[in-house]
Each structure stands twice: as structure tokens, then as C-alpha cells.
Amino acid sequence: MYKVNEVFETIQGEGSFTGAAAIFIRLQGCPVGCSWCDTKHTWDIKDELAMPLGDIVIKTAETEHWAQVTAAELLARFIQEGYQAKHVVITGGEPCMYDLNPLCELLHQNGYSTQIETSGTFTIKAPAQTWVTVSPKVNMAGGYKVLQSALDRANEIKHPVAMEKHVDELLQLLQHTDTKAKLIYLQPISQQRRATELAIAMCKKHNWRLSVQVHKYLGIS
């Protein structure tokens, strides 16, 4: 069973799948505690805010409401809603609080590709063909450590930056990580001009890539 805060179809606005049509599943629950998080409504799981999946799909505003559903129920909802995208992004909250194997395997069996967006602070339970985006969260309020196993599993590492210390944190994380087959992105926090300029400069210096949250520039979900 998965606690789902949102299900919607849009385009992926970050990382290597930028511009791809995608179905987003946003799961409820996250103890990591990022101060600049833009989905704080997904942090807490309050039993009294449970609601049917049908009501979750038609939500028009960010709320703490969630639905408890199975992988099969999610797949059926995709079909019922007429979603055409074949790439599914599982995000949160912190999606790796859940065992994502059953959901991803069912989606793969039905012609979908899957991607997980995680902080890297929980063990990743997903099939080998699932694309894993680790956005490492260092020294956050929840006190969770970024796991080396998550960095090793990542297909791409997408690090949020606002100041030089965030670049230093990434360099330290990468010391023991084989990055030859990985894509490394810097993502300016909140599209701040100073953060964007820093990210561009560091991408040039280290031959990394820039992720600019295209969906926020376009003003879409």
C-alpha cells in the first residue's frame, strides 16, 4: 500500500528527463526536514486527512490529504484518467520510505518507464531498470545521513545549491562514489540569481550539468 498525496500528468522539469511527458506520483511522508522544501505539505501523515484516490486526483491546491492505494489501483487510475505519458516519476515526500519494487515492476510490465526522486537518506528498494535521481540532502533538520548505497545506485545525482558550501558538500559526497556512469547536476535553489550564477560557474569548472526546474519557469505543476 502507498500513501499518495498527488497524481497528475505534466512534463518533467528537472534533470536528464527534462521536457519528457510524465505522470507524477507524489507520496506522503518525509522526516528529512529541508528548510527550503517546496512540498512541506507532504511531510506528515495524519490519519484524519485520508481520502479516496479519486479526490486526490482532482485536487486543485496543495494539501496534506492523502489516499492509501495499491499499485494496481494506481495503474487503473492512470487508465481511467486517460494519461498518455509512459514515464512515471515517483517523488514525495521521501518515496524511499516505501518499498517501490511492487509499484515499479507492475508499471514496467504495462509499458511504463519509472524514475524515483529521493534524498538518498533511505535504502532504495526498486528494480534495476528504474532510473534513480538522488538529490542528496546534507545536514538537514531531521538528522538523516546520505547513504553511500544511494549514491552508488543513482543514475543521476542532482544537487541543490545556493552557496559555495553546498558545492563543497557535493564534492565530499562524491569522493567515494564512482561517477563515470552517472550524470551530475547542480540545481539552483528557488531560481535565485546568485545561486544560478554559482551553479553555472561550478558546472563549467567540474564539467557537470545544470538543472533549472523548467516547470517553475513555465509556471506549471
Side-chain angles (χ1 to χ4, degrees):
M1 302 292 286
Y2 299 96
K3 292 178 171 60
V4 177
N5 178 277
E6 286 185 283
V7 179
F8 58 95
E9 188 177 43
T10 183
I11 64 164
Q12 171 62 285
E14 303 177 4
S16 59
F17 284 94
T18 294
I23 302 166
F24 273 71
I25 301 171
R26 188 178 303 285
L27 298 179
Q28 190 76 14
C30 183
V32 178
C34 304
S35 60
W36 37 262
C37 177
D38 57 4
T39 57
K40 290 183 178 180
H41 60 286
T42 65
W43 286 9
D44 299 321
I45 300 173
K46 299 176 181 177
D47 291 343
E48 67 273 18
L49 295 181
M51 63 191 308
L53 179 59
D55 292 340
I56 291 294
V57 171
I58 62 174
K59 281 203 301 186
T60 58
E62 295 178 347
T63 75
E64 295 180 89
H65 289 87
W66 54 273
Q68 183 156 299
V69 298
T70 65
E73 287 170 335
L74 278 168
L75 177 59
R77 178 57 62 168
F78 293 175
I79 297 168
Q80 182 176 338
E81 294 297 317
Y83 296 153
Q84 296 300 304
K86 290 298 182 180
H87 183 65
V88 178
V89 181
I90 307 167
T91 186
E94 174 45 69
C96 290
M97 291 173 59
Y98 299 85
D99 182 352
L100 299 173
N101 279 294
L103 175 57
C104 292
E105 288 170 356
L106 179 64
L107 291 171
H108 296 164
Q109 292 165 10
N110 285 273
Y112 295 87
S113 59
T114 58
Q115 176 183 1
I116 297 168
E117 297 181 339
T118 175
S119 64
T121 57
F122 284 78
T123 300
I124 298 167
K125 300 174 184 177
Q129 62 264 49
T130 295
W131 183 272
V132 175
T133 302
V134 171
S135 182
K137 304 304 190 297
V138 182
N139 296 325
M140 296 301 162
Y144 287 80
K145 302 295 184 183
V146 176
L147 303 179
Q148 186 62 48
S149 63
L151 294 172
D152 292 339
R153 173 64 180 83
N155 298 98
E156 64 180 6
I157 296 172
K158 178 166 58 65
H159 194 56
V161 295
M163 55 190 73
E164 290 187 16
K165 76 170 186 176
H166 297 137
V167 179
D168 293 338
E169 290 169 352
L170 176 60
L171 290 169
Q172 185 172 0
L173 287 174
L174 295 180
Q175 282 183 353
H176 305 290
T177 305
D178 183 357
T179 61
K180 292 186 181 68
K182 301 184 191 301
L183 301 175
I184 310 297
Y185 287 87
L186 292 184
Q187 184 162 288
I189 294 175
S190 300
Q191 294 81 51
Q192 299 170 11
R193 180 174 179 178
R194 180 172 174 271
T196 301
E197 291 172 349
L198 172 64
I200 291 171
M202 291 299 100
C203 285
K204 291 178 179 178
K205 180 177 180 179
H206 297 285
N207 196 28
W208 293 337
R209 299 186 178 200
L210 183 70
S211 176
V212 294
Q213 294 186 294
V214 167
H215 57 293
K216 292 188 177 180
Y217 282 100
L218 295 176
I220 61 176
S221 297

